[in-house]
Amino acid sequence: MVKLTQAAPSLTQSALVYGPPKTGKTELVGKLSEHFNIIYIGLENGHATFLKFPQEWQERIELINLPDTRSYPVAIETCLKIIKG
């Protein structure tokens, strides 16, 4: 264990944005793309929200779409593998 004051700064950061539908998660990620490069893993077609942002911001978003249906439910398993490494 290392104290925060002794930790080396990281050049990359990760965040998982999770919450109920229609609460502004995709909007938040889109606004972060003004300053940061984003890898967006979409489980639905919510990425259309990004199209209202300036082209410069859109260029900073790498989109990964995971198909997820009742007959082929792979999205959650794939996300868990990504998070766990």
Side-chain angles (χ1 to χ4, degrees), residues 43 65-82:
L43 308 183
N65 272 323
L66 294 178
D68 196 52
T69 63
R70 286 186 187 269
S71 61
Y72 193 62
V74 297
I76 193 65
E77 289 180 23
T78 304
C79 286
L80 287 171
K81 287 179 183 179
I82 292 169

Side-chain angles (χ1 to χ4, degrees), residues 14-36:
S14 298
L16 172 66
V17 181
Y18 176 82
K22 306 296 180 198
T23 56
K25 300 177 298 294
T26 306
E27 180 87 18
L28 171 66
V29 172
K31 288 182 179 180
L32 287 171
S33 71
E34 178 181 6
H35 304 285
F36 302 100

Side-chain angles (χ1 to χ4, degrees), residues 2-10:
V2 176
K3 294 190 182 275
L4 179 61
T5 55
Q6 298 171 334
S10 175

